[in-house]
Short mmCIF file of all heavy atoms in Angstrom, two decimals:
data_model
loop_
_atom_site.label_atom_id
_atom_site.label_comp_id
_atom_site.label_asym_id
_atom_site.label_seq_id
_atom_site.Cartn_x
_atom_site.Cartn_y
_atom_site.Cartn_z
N GLU A 1 0.85 -1.19 0.00
CA GLU A 1 0.00 0.00 0.00
C GLU A 1 0.89 1.25 0.00
O GLU A 1 1.87 1.33 0.74
CB GLU A 1 -0.91 0.01 1.23
CG GLU A 1 -1.99 -1.05 1.20
CD GLU A 1 -2.90 -0.97 2.40
OE1 GLU A 1 -2.70 -0.08 3.25
OE2 GLU A 1 -3.82 -1.80 2.51
N GLY A 2 0.56 2.20 -0.85
CA GLY A 2 1.31 3.45 -0.91
C GLY A 2 2.50 3.43 -1.84
O GLY A 2 3.21 4.43 -1.94
N GLU A 3 2.73 2.35 -2.56
CA GLU A 3 3.81 2.30 -3.53
C GLU A 3 3.40 2.96 -4.85
O GLU A 3 2.23 2.97 -5.22
CB GLU A 3 4.25 0.86 -3.81
CG GLU A 3 5.22 0.29 -2.81
CD GLU A 3 5.94 -0.94 -3.33
OE1 GLU A 3 5.34 -2.02 -3.36
OE2 GLU A 3 7.13 -0.80 -3.71
N PHE A 4 4.39 3.47 -5.56
CA PHE A 4 4.23 4.01 -6.91
C PHE A 4 5.07 3.14 -7.82
O PHE A 4 6.30 3.16 -7.77
CB PHE A 4 4.69 5.47 -6.94
CG PHE A 4 4.59 6.14 -8.28
CD1 PHE A 4 3.85 5.61 -9.33
CD2 PHE A 4 5.24 7.35 -8.50
CE1 PHE A 4 3.76 6.24 -10.56
CE2 PHE A 4 5.16 8.00 -9.72
CZ PHE A 4 4.42 7.44 -10.76
N VAL A 5 4.39 2.34 -8.66
CA VAL A 5 5.06 1.29 -9.43
C VAL A 5 4.81 1.51 -10.93
O VAL A 5 3.69 1.77 -11.35
CB VAL A 5 4.53 -0.10 -9.03
CG1 VAL A 5 5.20 -1.19 -9.87
CG2 VAL A 5 4.77 -0.36 -7.55
N SER A 6 5.88 1.39 -11.72
CA SER A 6 5.75 1.39 -13.17
C SER A 6 5.91 -0.04 -13.68
O SER A 6 6.77 -0.78 -13.19
CB SER A 6 6.83 2.27 -13.82
OG SER A 6 6.58 3.63 -13.59
N ILE A 7 5.10 -0.39 -14.66
CA ILE A 7 5.25 -1.67 -15.35
C ILE A 7 5.69 -1.37 -16.77
O ILE A 7 5.01 -0.65 -17.51
CB ILE A 7 3.93 -2.45 -15.36
CG1 ILE A 7 3.48 -2.73 -13.92
CG2 ILE A 7 4.09 -3.76 -16.12
CD1 ILE A 7 2.13 -3.40 -13.83
N MET A 8 6.85 -1.89 -17.14
CA MET A 8 7.44 -1.58 -18.44
C MET A 8 7.72 -2.85 -19.22
O MET A 8 7.91 -3.92 -18.66
CB MET A 8 8.71 -0.75 -18.25
CG MET A 8 8.46 0.60 -17.62
SD MET A 8 9.98 1.52 -17.23
CE MET A 8 10.71 1.62 -18.85
N GLY A 9 7.75 -2.69 -20.54
CA GLY A 9 8.03 -3.81 -21.41
C GLY A 9 7.51 -3.51 -22.81
O GLY A 9 6.72 -2.58 -23.00
N PRO A 10 7.93 -4.28 -23.80
CA PRO A 10 7.50 -4.04 -25.18
C PRO A 10 6.02 -4.36 -25.38
O PRO A 10 5.38 -4.96 -24.51
CB PRO A 10 8.39 -5.00 -25.99
CG PRO A 10 8.71 -6.11 -25.03
CD PRO A 10 8.82 -5.45 -23.68
N SER A 11 5.48 -3.97 -26.52
CA SER A 11 4.10 -4.32 -26.85
C SER A 11 3.95 -5.84 -26.84
O SER A 11 4.82 -6.57 -27.32
CB SER A 11 3.73 -3.78 -28.23
OG SER A 11 3.76 -2.37 -28.24
N GLY A 12 2.86 -6.31 -26.26
CA GLY A 12 2.63 -7.74 -26.16
C GLY A 12 3.29 -8.39 -24.96
O GLY A 12 3.21 -9.61 -24.80
N ALA A 13 3.90 -7.58 -24.09
CA ALA A 13 4.59 -8.15 -22.93
C ALA A 13 3.63 -8.64 -21.86
O ALA A 13 4.00 -9.46 -21.02
CB ALA A 13 5.55 -7.12 -22.34
N GLY A 14 2.40 -8.12 -21.86
CA GLY A 14 1.42 -8.52 -20.84
C GLY A 14 1.03 -7.41 -19.90
O GLY A 14 0.30 -7.65 -18.92
N LYS A 15 1.48 -6.18 -20.18
CA LYS A 15 1.22 -5.06 -19.27
C LYS A 15 -0.28 -4.79 -19.11
O LYS A 15 -0.79 -4.69 -17.99
CB LYS A 15 1.92 -3.79 -19.78
CG LYS A 15 3.42 -3.92 -19.94
CD LYS A 15 4.08 -2.58 -20.27
CE LYS A 15 3.59 -1.96 -21.57
NZ LYS A 15 3.91 -2.79 -22.77
N THR A 16 -0.98 -4.66 -20.23
CA THR A 16 -2.41 -4.36 -20.16
C THR A 16 -3.19 -5.51 -19.54
O THR A 16 -4.10 -5.30 -18.74
CB THR A 16 -2.96 -4.04 -21.56
OG1 THR A 16 -2.34 -2.83 -22.04
CG2 THR A 16 -4.47 -3.85 -21.54
N THR A 17 -2.81 -6.74 -19.88
CA THR A 17 -3.48 -7.91 -19.28
C THR A 17 -3.34 -7.89 -17.77
O THR A 17 -4.32 -8.12 -17.04
CB THR A 17 -2.89 -9.21 -19.84
OG1 THR A 17 -3.10 -9.25 -21.26
CG2 THR A 17 -3.54 -10.42 -19.20
N LEU A 18 -2.15 -7.59 -17.29
CA LEU A 18 -1.92 -7.54 -15.85
C LEU A 18 -2.75 -6.44 -15.20
O LEU A 18 -3.41 -6.67 -14.17
CB LEU A 18 -0.43 -7.33 -15.55
CG LEU A 18 -0.04 -7.27 -14.07
CD1 LEU A 18 -0.47 -8.54 -13.33
CD2 LEU A 18 1.46 -7.05 -13.92
N LEU A 19 -2.77 -5.26 -15.80
CA LEU A 19 -3.57 -4.16 -15.23
C LEU A 19 -5.05 -4.51 -15.23
O LEU A 19 -5.76 -4.18 -14.28
CB LEU A 19 -3.34 -2.87 -16.02
CG LEU A 19 -2.06 -2.09 -15.74
CD1 LEU A 19 -2.14 -0.71 -16.40
CD2 LEU A 19 -1.79 -1.92 -14.25
N ASN A 20 -5.52 -5.14 -16.29
CA ASN A 20 -6.94 -5.50 -16.35
C ASN A 20 -7.31 -6.47 -15.22
O ASN A 20 -8.39 -6.39 -14.64
CB ASN A 20 -7.28 -6.13 -17.70
CG ASN A 20 -7.35 -5.11 -18.81
OD1 ASN A 20 -7.44 -3.91 -18.57
ND2 ASN A 20 -7.31 -5.59 -20.04
N ILE A 21 -6.41 -7.39 -14.91
CA ILE A 21 -6.66 -8.32 -13.81
C ILE A 21 -6.61 -7.60 -12.47
O ILE A 21 -7.47 -7.81 -11.60
CB ILE A 21 -5.67 -9.50 -13.86
CG1 ILE A 21 -5.97 -10.39 -15.08
CG2 ILE A 21 -5.74 -10.32 -12.57
CD1 ILE A 21 -4.97 -11.50 -15.30
N LEU A 22 -5.63 -6.71 -12.30
CA LEU A 22 -5.52 -5.96 -11.05
C LEU A 22 -6.71 -5.03 -10.84
O LEU A 22 -7.05 -4.71 -9.70
CB LEU A 22 -4.22 -5.15 -11.02
CG LEU A 22 -2.91 -5.94 -11.10
CD1 LEU A 22 -1.72 -5.00 -10.91
CD2 LEU A 22 -2.87 -7.05 -10.08
N GLY A 23 -7.35 -4.62 -11.94
CA GLY A 23 -8.48 -3.71 -11.85
C GLY A 23 -9.83 -4.39 -11.90
O GLY A 23 -10.85 -3.72 -12.10
N PHE A 24 -9.87 -5.72 -11.75
CA PHE A 24 -11.12 -6.47 -11.74
C PHE A 24 -11.86 -6.40 -13.08
O PHE A 24 -13.07 -6.60 -13.14
CB PHE A 24 -12.06 -5.99 -10.63
CG PHE A 24 -11.46 -6.07 -9.24
CD1 PHE A 24 -10.85 -4.97 -8.67
CD2 PHE A 24 -11.49 -7.26 -8.52
CE1 PHE A 24 -10.31 -5.03 -7.40
CE2 PHE A 24 -10.95 -7.34 -7.25
CZ PHE A 24 -10.35 -6.23 -6.69
N LEU A 25 -11.13 -6.10 -14.16
CA LEU A 25 -11.74 -6.11 -15.49
C LEU A 25 -11.62 -7.49 -16.15
O LEU A 25 -12.32 -7.77 -17.13
CB LEU A 25 -11.07 -5.06 -16.38
CG LEU A 25 -11.34 -3.60 -16.03
CD1 LEU A 25 -10.45 -2.69 -16.86
CD2 LEU A 25 -12.80 -3.25 -16.23
N ASP A 26 -10.74 -8.32 -15.62
CA ASP A 26 -10.54 -9.66 -16.16
C ASP A 26 -10.15 -10.57 -15.01
O ASP A 26 -9.75 -10.11 -13.93
CB ASP A 26 -9.43 -9.63 -17.23
CG ASP A 26 -9.47 -10.82 -18.17
OD1 ASP A 26 -10.33 -11.71 -17.95
OD2 ASP A 26 -8.65 -10.86 -19.11
N LYS A 27 -10.28 -11.87 -15.23
CA LYS A 27 -9.91 -12.84 -14.21
C LYS A 27 -8.74 -13.68 -14.71
O LYS A 27 -8.63 -13.96 -15.90
CB LYS A 27 -11.10 -13.75 -13.89
CG LYS A 27 -12.26 -13.05 -13.21
CD LYS A 27 -13.36 -14.04 -12.86
CE LYS A 27 -14.51 -13.35 -12.15
NZ LYS A 27 -15.57 -14.32 -11.76
N PRO A 28 -7.86 -14.10 -13.80
CA PRO A 28 -6.75 -14.96 -14.22
C PRO A 28 -7.24 -16.36 -14.56
O PRO A 28 -8.32 -16.78 -14.13
CB PRO A 28 -5.85 -14.98 -12.98
CG PRO A 28 -6.78 -14.76 -11.84
CD PRO A 28 -7.85 -13.83 -12.35
N SER A 29 -6.43 -17.08 -15.33
CA SER A 29 -6.76 -18.48 -15.65
C SER A 29 -6.38 -19.40 -14.50
O SER A 29 -7.03 -20.43 -14.28
CB SER A 29 -6.02 -18.90 -16.92
OG SER A 29 -6.40 -18.07 -18.00
N SER A 30 -5.33 -19.04 -13.77
CA SER A 30 -4.91 -19.83 -12.62
C SER A 30 -3.99 -18.99 -11.75
O SER A 30 -3.56 -17.90 -12.14
CB SER A 30 -4.19 -21.12 -13.05
OG SER A 30 -3.01 -20.81 -13.78
N GLY A 31 -3.67 -19.49 -10.57
CA GLY A 31 -2.80 -18.78 -9.65
C GLY A 31 -3.60 -18.14 -8.52
O GLY A 31 -4.83 -18.09 -8.55
N ASP A 32 -2.88 -17.65 -7.52
CA ASP A 32 -3.49 -16.98 -6.37
C ASP A 32 -3.40 -15.48 -6.54
O ASP A 32 -2.39 -14.96 -7.04
CB ASP A 32 -2.77 -17.39 -5.08
CG ASP A 32 -2.92 -18.89 -4.79
OD1 ASP A 32 -4.02 -19.42 -5.04
OD2 ASP A 32 -1.94 -19.50 -4.33
N LEU A 33 -4.44 -14.77 -6.09
CA LEU A 33 -4.52 -13.34 -6.33
C LEU A 33 -5.28 -12.66 -5.21
O LEU A 33 -6.36 -13.12 -4.80
CB LEU A 33 -5.23 -13.09 -7.67
CG LEU A 33 -5.54 -11.66 -8.09
CD1 LEU A 33 -4.26 -10.86 -8.25
CD2 LEU A 33 -6.33 -11.66 -9.39
N ASN A 34 -4.72 -11.59 -4.69
CA ASN A 34 -5.41 -10.76 -3.71
C ASN A 34 -5.16 -9.29 -4.05
O ASN A 34 -4.01 -8.86 -4.12
CB ASN A 34 -4.92 -11.07 -2.29
CG ASN A 34 -5.78 -10.40 -1.23
OD1 ASN A 34 -5.80 -9.18 -1.12
ND2 ASN A 34 -6.48 -11.19 -0.44
N ILE A 35 -6.23 -8.58 -4.29
CA ILE A 35 -6.14 -7.16 -4.64
C ILE A 35 -6.96 -6.37 -3.64
O ILE A 35 -8.17 -6.57 -3.53
CB ILE A 35 -6.67 -6.90 -6.07
CG1 ILE A 35 -6.00 -7.82 -7.08
CG2 ILE A 35 -6.44 -5.45 -6.46
CD1 ILE A 35 -6.73 -7.90 -8.40
#
């Protein structure tokens, strides 16, 4: 809590997918997650 984080990488790296999951816009296929 309170961190300022940048996610960087080329197009297709997974940045938008990760943000969508963190923002409850999408669900992961597997793994543990707490937001």
Side-chain angles (χ1 to χ4, degrees):
E1 290 183 0
E3 277 198 283
F4 179 15
V5 178
S6 289
I7 300 175
M8 296 174 58
S11 296
K15 302 187 299 297
T16 295
T17 299
L18 180 57
L19 281 191
N20 285 344
I21 291 174
L22 299 186
F24 302 96
L25 290 172
D26 200 357
K27 293 183 179 182
S29 301
S30 62
D32 296 321
L33 175 62
N34 189 294
I35 307 164

